[in-house]
Amino acid sequence: MSIEAKLAELGLSLPSAPQPLGQYTAASQAGDLLFISGQLPLRDGRVVWQGRVGAELTVDQGRQAAELAALNVLAQIRQHAGGFDRLDHLVRVEGYVASAPGFLDQPAVLDGASGLFARVLGDKAGHARTANSVAQQPGNAAVILVAIAQLKGV
């Protein structure tokens, strides 16, 4: 089943790939690797999930923020690779979670993104991951994801 068909089966639709918020590119390719700049939980140009997990947001809300950021990662892959046919697999995902002092469940929050990737990409979803805690992020975003994908046919 194609990735587009899998998205439809899951009732998901990809947004247009978000534009960078500064003077950088949303994705940069080096050889067969596509480096995707930080993706926020944006929908229609606005940050949907704002605040710190463990204070203003629950772990479940943080997971939802990570899922939305993951959809934006996929939108960047689709745009910059010309679709999903060239996607070999996700290599690495870095997650940054705006966290309240003492909050230690960043991996559980980022499981929202990893779980979405697994449901949509299947065997192309396997990735190394790191979870980071930060005090505050641009746009007061709860989660930011940075990703590296390997492409075929390069």
Side-chain angles (χ1 to χ4, degrees):
M1 176 181 297
S2 75
I3 291 171
E4 298 284 354
K6 189 63 175 175
L7 284 162
E9 178 184 279
L10 294 170
L12 300 171
S13 61
L14 290 186
S16 296
Q19 296 300 308
L21 300 177
Q23 294 186 2
Y24 59 93
T25 61
S28 178
Q29 188 171 338
D32 64 349
L33 296 179
L34 183 64
F35 295 83
I36 300 161
S37 295
Q39 298 298 299
L40 285 69
L42 287 172
R43 183 178 296 127
D44 300 323
R46 72 174 196 84
V47 178
V48 175
W49 296 101
Q50 295 182 327
R52 296 167 300 155
V53 181
E56 296 83 19
L57 300 173
T58 65
V59 171
D60 187 56
Q61 290 170 319
R63 279 190 194 106
Q64 291 175 55
E67 288 178 359
L68 181 52
L71 287 173
N72 287 318
V73 166
L74 293 175
Q76 294 293 353
I77 292 170
R78 179 180 64 186
Q79 176 173 308
H80 293 279
F84 291 110
D85 290 342
R86 293 181 50 220
L87 177 63
D88 185 75
H89 72 286
L90 286 181
V91 176
R92 179 177 167 83
V93 174
E94 294 178 27
Y96 299 86
V97 180
S99 303
F103 180 77
L104 302 174
D105 283 338
Q106 291 80 12
V109 170
L110 295 177
D111 281 346
S114 294
L116 183 130
F117 290 139
R119 290 189 305 277
V120 172
L121 300 177
D123 61 355
K124 296 179 180 195
H127 58 273
R129 189 181 83 184
T130 185
N132 300 287
S133 173
V134 296
Q136 193 170 20
Q137 308 202 83
N140 199 25
V143 173
I144 296 178
L145 297 179
V146 176
I148 302 170
Q150 185 176 32
L151 303 178
K152 299 181 270 188
V154 177

